[in-house]
Every structure is written in C-alpha cells, then in structure tokens.
C-alpha cells in the first residue's frame, strides 16, 4: 500500500499548529488500523482562527475578483498535480474505492477552477432611477467571515465547494472539517496555501464538534455558516446561528426515490442508478434508496437490481479488484443492520446481502430488500449505506404518494419513455434535484440545494457564490 502521512494539525493564521485539546485517531475503515492522528482545537485556538479570518477579510475582499480567482485556479492545478498521492490518503481514511476517490478529486479540481473563473465574473445590475439622470445599482459585496462545516462522506469536493465559492466571493473562512477525514481537508488547504492564499483567509480546525460549533456561531464576527451534514445536526446549527442572524446555507440529508414506469428500459434504469446507489458505499445524500417499480416491471427490476448488486466486489479501497468499499465507521454498520432487521421483522424480503462481514473493517454486504412495508424505518430514515428497497406501485398517484412520503426533499429519479408520465411525475415530485432517465450530478456550474428537511440555500453556480454575498442597493443622482 502506498505510504501517505495522514497526521493532521490545525491551520490558523497561516501556520500549521498542534491542537491543544488532545488528539483523535484516524482509523482506516477497511482495516480498523490507526493511520494517523488529528489534533483538536481548544477554545483559545477556535478564537484565534476566528480572529485571523476577521483580520484577513479587508485585504482579501479588497483584491480584484480576478486576483482571488487566480489563487483558486492555481490551487486547482496543484490539486491536479497531487491527485495521485491525495487519492491514496482519501481512500485510506474514507474507505472509498480508488475509482471513487479519483472521481471525487477530479470533481474538486473542476470545482476550484470553476469558482476561480466565477470570481472574476461576479457582477451586479444597473436599473433606472426615480429622478431624471439617476440610476440604481445592485452591487454584490462579500459578507465577511464564513464558518464552513463539512462531513466525511465527500471529504474533498464538499470542502472544495465551500472554500471555492466563499473565497471567490471575497469572504474569509474558518473550516471545521470532519474529524473522520482530516487528511483530505488538510491536503486541499495545502493546495490553497501553496497557491498563495494570504495568512488568515483560510483556517482549518478540528475539535469536539458540538462545543466548537457553539463557540464559532456565538461570535458576532461570523456572517454566514455553510454546513453539509445530517438534518439532526443542521437543526442544531440553525438554532445556534439564529441569535446572531448568521446566514445559513445548509445541505442536509436525502432519501431519493426512483420511479421506474411500465415503459422504462429496466436494465438501463439499474445500470444508470447503480453507481449512484453503491458509489461511496451508498453514503451519499443523492443515493437512490427507494425504488418504486410499476407492478408490470417490478419483478424484472428486482431481478436486474439483484444481478447488478451481486457484481460488486466488496473489499478494501486500495485493492484494485474492489468495486465497493467499507462504510465509514462502526456506527454506520450498526445503523445498516438495525434498518435491515426492522424491515425484515415487518415483512420485507432480503433478495441479496443483508449482513455484515465477520472480518476487520466496517464491511456490509450490498443489499436489495423487496416487499418493504410502508411502516419500515428504512423508508423514513436515511439508510446511508449500500442498501436499496423496492416497492411495487400501481398508478401515478400511488407512486407519488410513496415517493413524497418523506420529510426529505432532495434527489429523485424517474425512468420512463413517456413525455406525459415524465411531466406529471416531475411536476408532482417533492424533490429539488430530479434525474430523468439519468442520474442527477452535482456539478460546479449550476445551483443545487435541498428543500424541507434537506436544507436551504444553494451551492454551485453563480447563486453558490452569491450565497456568500449581499446585494447592496445604491440609488444615485447627480449632485
Ligand atoms: P454529521 O451531521 O454527523 O456531521 C457533519 C459535520 O458536522 C461534521 O463536521 C461533524 O463533525 C459535525 N458535527 C457532528 N455533530 C455535531 C454537533 N452536535 N454540533 C455541531 N457539529 C457537529 O453528518 P455526517 O454523518 O458526517 O454526514 C452525513 C450526512 O451528510 C448525511 O445526512 C448526508 O445526507 C449529508 N450530506 C448532504 C449532502 C448535500 O449536499 N445535501 C452532501 C453530503 C452529505
């Protein structure tokens, strides 16, 4: 296995420093072995990161958009040069396959580059004024210090998305990345530092998440918080952000339905959705989770899904033969087993998989459950693992009823050849990101955000940069 040094410290005001609140092990989820440690910030270091970001804001926001963009584009090309080494560290600490690790890092390279271009394009609008010769200008200005909090399931691209957009906007950042995947956050911050981001503009901390977040969001210096993670934590952070009216940009959980209609190419539906289902071991907010098959294609869909699921090679991400890695930690194994057991106790049928592997590492079998009853917890709770459920539906009303029976509103997928069915499903689905006969990728150039329990605000596209800006209105006449 290639040797990557995964120890990670904090980065505060342009210097790597050891955390004063002890350390936490970084564990390879494929072996349960120690692969590094991450040191944790105490209260004085959290404050030092905030102070550094606050001090750096006037100079960073005072640069031209092109100059900020040049730093992001340089970081993108450095990340591309280092992709081989970083991919090995990313897959070790996250459990991803090599293909998933490379795919995510390539997307991060694109994301930094796209935001680098956008930094120079950010612009306002000019409107007629109310008296002759006057004009009104709508001018975007950066908000100030941003707190970014990221999860472990996409440890590179989510860091790239938040840092890319916030820095493009002219904001400075305190990033609290996941303690499960600290090396990847470190590696991306290093590319920005080597690309010339000034001291204090980007700070990276780790720590005990609840108290650290409380301290960060109680600061009047913080103007926005960008969080990707669970709905449970998102609600806590929203409450913490409220007293200081800190703008929230939240990308939370999902529970994506896949409606496969009677005229769909069933095999195609499976081939297209399987990578989204089993990539990153199913630990993705847009992973297809609830297949809703028209009764006339239900059995064919179950057969095709089972056949595809059995082709996955479960193993360590560093092995070339592996096409499905472990889940992130022991808690995810326990949650998987609980959801499968609950569904089976209520009448679901395990068509393939359903167990954990009795070996070191957090391995659960890729799983298909059919005849899943409506009261099964797995239909309500985000499974966040390599498990797909299948239910049979009779009518469009039935499909919509089941698809919309979730408090999440993020991805949904529709497979049909009929324009009428497509239009009706798309208009009635309670979803914010819909793939029709294809997946629904999160690309850097278009805004994406959740509704309901899946969050609010946007990441990606022009709107993703404006999320960190205020539109100042200037009404001006001749003196
Ligand atoms: P999580 O909410 O447990 O953790 C996310 C981040 O919040 C981490 O940095 C963690 O350290 C921190 N955190 C944890 N507990 C906290 C607390 N009490 N107070 C403050 N911060 C806390 O989520 P996770 O398990 O790391 O990630 C998986 C979740 O992320 C899933 O729900 C998934 O759907 C969601 N997700 C959403 C998107 C999206 O774009 N909508 C993308 C990826 C992941």
């Amino acid at each position: 296995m290639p040797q990557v040094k995964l120890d990670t410290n904090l980065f505060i005001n342009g210097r790597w420093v050891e955390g004063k609140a002890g350390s936490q092990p970084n564990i390879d989820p494929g072996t349960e072995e120690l692969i590094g440690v991450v040191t944790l910030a105490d209260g004085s270091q959290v404050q030092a990161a905030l102070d550094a970001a606050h001090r750096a804001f006037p100079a960073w926001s005072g640069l031209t958009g092109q100059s900020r963009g040049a730093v992001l584009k340089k970081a993108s090309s450095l990340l591309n040069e280092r992709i081989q080494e970083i991919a090995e560290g990313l897959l070790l600490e996250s459990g991803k396959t090599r293909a998933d690790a490379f795919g995510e890092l390539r997307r991060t390279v694109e994301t930094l580059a796209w935001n680098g271009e956008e930094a120079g394009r950010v612009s306002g609008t000019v409107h007629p004024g109310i008296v002759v010769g006057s004009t009104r200008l709508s001018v975007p200005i950066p908000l100030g210090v941003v707190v970014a909090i990221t999860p472990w399931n996409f440890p590179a691209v989510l860091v790239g998305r938040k840092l890319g957009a916030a820095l493009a906007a002219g904001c400075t950042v305190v990033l609290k990345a996941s303690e499960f995947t600290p090396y990847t956050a470190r590696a991306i911050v290093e590319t920005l530092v080597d690309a010339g981001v000034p001291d204090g503009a980007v700070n990276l901390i780790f720590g005990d998440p609840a108290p650290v977040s409380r301290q960060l969001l109680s600061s009047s210096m913080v103007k926005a918080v960008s969080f990707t993670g669970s709905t449970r934590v998102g609600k806590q952070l929203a409450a913490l952000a409220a007293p200081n009216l800190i703008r929230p940009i939240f990308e939370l959980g999902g529970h994506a339905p896949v409606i496969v209609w009677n005229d769909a190419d069933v095999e195609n539906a499976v081939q297209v959705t399987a990578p989204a289902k089993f990539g990153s071991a199913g630990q993705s907010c847009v992973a297809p989770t609830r297949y809703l098959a028209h009764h006339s294609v239900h059995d064919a869909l179950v057969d095709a899904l089972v056949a595809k699921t059995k082709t996955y090679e479960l193993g360590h991400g560093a092995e070339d033969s592996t096409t499905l890695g472990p889940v992130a930690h022991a808690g995810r194994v326990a949650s998987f087993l609980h959801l499968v057991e609950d569904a089976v106790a209520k009448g679901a049928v395990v068509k393939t998989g359903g167990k954990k592997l009795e070996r070191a590492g957090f391995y659960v079998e890729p799983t298909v459950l059919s005849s899943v009853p409506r009261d099964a917890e797995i239909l309500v709770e985000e499974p966040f693992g390599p498990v797909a459920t299948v239910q049979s539906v009779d009518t469009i009303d039935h499909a919509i009823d089941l698809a919309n029976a979730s408090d999440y509103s993020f991805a949904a997928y529709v497979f049909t050849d009929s324009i009428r069915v497509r239009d009706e499903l798309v208009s009635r689905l309670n979803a914010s990101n819909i793939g029709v006969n294809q997946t629904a990728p999160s690309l850097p150039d278009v805004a994406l955000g959740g509704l309901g329990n899946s969050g609010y605000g946007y990441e990606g596209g022009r709107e993703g940069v404006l999320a960190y800006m205020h539109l100042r209105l200037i009404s001006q006449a001749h003196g």
Side-chain angles (χ1 to χ4, degrees):
M1 232 174 259
Q3 288 306 305
V4 186
K5 188 104 179 71
L6 296 183
D7 290 344
T8 303
N9 278 324
L10 319 176
F11 187 68
I12 299 173
N13 198 25
R15 287 196 318 120
W16 291 99
V17 292
E18 205 168 296
K20 293 179 187 164
S23 65
Q24 197 168 303
N26 188 350
I27 301 290
D28 173 353
T31 60
E32 297 182 54
E33 285 169 5
L34 184 72
I35 49 175
V37 293
V38 52
T39 66
L40 309 175
D42 72 0
S44 70
Q45 292 175 310
V46 173
Q47 189 57 47
L50 286 168
D51 290 341
H54 186 64
R55 276 195 310 273
F57 176 67
W60 180 248
S61 60
L63 293 176
T64 62
Q66 280 89 347
S67 301
R68 291 195 298 268
V71 173
L72 289 170
K73 286 188 272 185
K74 180 81 193 296
S76 166
S77 66
L78 289 174
L79 185 58
N80 202 29
E81 284 169 22
R82 300 172 189 176
I83 200 165
Q84 203 83 27
E85 179 187 343
I86 299 174
E88 297 306 323
L90 192 165
L91 73 83
L92 278 184
E93 68 179 5
S94 70
K96 291 194 190 228
T97 63
R98 187 164 280 120
D100 282 346
F102 269 96
E104 182 181 347
L105 284 167
R106 279 193 214 99
R107 184 61 53 79
T108 313
V109 168
E110 288 165 20
T111 301
L112 290 173
W114 191 89
N115 281 287
E117 293 291 339
E118 185 64 13
R121 285 191 296 252
V122 172
S123 57
T125 50
V126 184
H127 306 261
I130 51 167
V131 294
V132 173
S134 71
T135 49
R136 289 171 304 149
L137 312 178
S138 178
V139 181
I141 54 170
L143 287 178
V145 174
V146 169
V147 164
I149 302 179
T150 52
W152 45 263
N153 65 332
F154 288 99
V157 77
L158 298 176
V159 166
R161 238 185 244 173
K162 293 184 193 312
L163 292 181
L167 291 172
C171 294
T172 54
V173 185
V174 177
L175 168 65
K176 207 295 286 166
S178 172
E179 291 70 29
F180 286 108
T181 49
Y183 160 79
T184 306
R186 175 193 115 189
I188 292 171
V189 168
E190 280 170 347
T191 65
L192 284 159
V193 173
D194 295 345
V197 78
D199 292 354
V202 173
N203 304 273
L204 171 65
I205 59 171
F206 302 94
D208 187 354
V212 166
S213 310
R214 208 175 308 119
Q215 185 178 353
L216 288 170
L217 299 182
S218 65
S219 169
S220 58
M221 292 176 197
V222 175
K223 302 303 175 198
V225 53
S226 179
F227 170 70
T228 299
S230 61
T231 303
R232 179 184 63 82
V233 173
K235 288 181 178 178
Q236 291 169 10
L237 294 178
L240 291 175
N244 278 327
L245 299 178
I246 295 171
R247 182 187 292 183
I249 301 143
F250 284 1
E251 304 288 343
L252 308 177
H255 206 324
V258 186
I259 299 176
V260 183
W261 210 242
N262 56 6
D263 56 356
D265 177 340
V266 168
E267 185 59 34
N268 181 52
V270 168
Q271 293 300 334
V272 165
T273 53
K277 174 65 266 177
F278 296 112
S280 302
Q283 301 166 118
S284 159
C285 54
V286 295
T289 51
R290 297 172 289 143
Y291 286 80
L292 305 173
H294 187 271
H295 64 82
S296 64
V297 297
H298 173 268
D299 292 355
L301 181 85
V302 170
D303 290 347
L305 200 51
V306 168
K308 180 69 184 174
T309 302
K310 285 181 172 169
T311 65
Y312 282 90
E313 199 68 50
L314 185 55
H316 195 286
E319 306 292 340
D320 285 337
S321 56
T322 296
T323 51
L324 180 72
V327 291
H329 50 73
R332 297 258 37 98
V333 177
S335 165
F336 166 89
L337 292 174
H338 168 75
L339 291 176
V340 170
E341 279 161 21
D342 170 78
V344 169
K346 289 170 178 162
V349 177
V350 178
K351 302 300 281 190
T352 184
K355 298 192 290 298
K356 68 169 187 166
L357 298 195
E358 297 304 333
R359 56 172 276 194
F362 308 121
Y363 294 95
V364 299
E365 294 174 336
T367 298
V368 177
L369 301 176
S370 71
S371 308
V372 182
R374 200 164 175 158
D375 61 342
E377 277 181 48
I378 197 167
L379 298 180
V380 179
E381 196 179 311
E382 186 182 21
F384 228 56
V387 49
T389 64
V390 189
Q391 294 165 276
S392 178
V393 293
D394 300 317
T395 60
I396 287 185
D397 283 351
H398 190 191
I400 289 293
D401 180 37
L402 292 184
N404 288 350
S406 166
D407 292 334
Y408 293 113
S409 178
F410 205 45
Y413 306 91
V414 168
F415 287 83
T416 178
D417 243 2
S418 156
I419 293 171
R420 184 188 60 78
V421 173
R422 178 198 69 190
D423 288 352
E424 182 164 2
L425 289 174
V426 166
S427 70
R428 293 178 63 190
L429 272 169
N430 183 19
S432 59
N433 178 23
I434 302 179
V436 179
N437 297 318
Q438 66 154 79
T439 51
S442 316
L443 301 176
D445 60 336
V446 177
L448 176 66
L451 288 165
N453 267 356
S454 296
Y456 35 49
Y458 301 101
E459 291 198 292
R462 171 181 153 81
E463 295 80 2
V465 175
L466 290 178
Y468 299 102
M469 305 189 88
H470 173 76
L471 292 177
R472 172 185 276 164
L473 177 62
I474 305 168
S475 303
Q476 56 184 17
H478 298 300

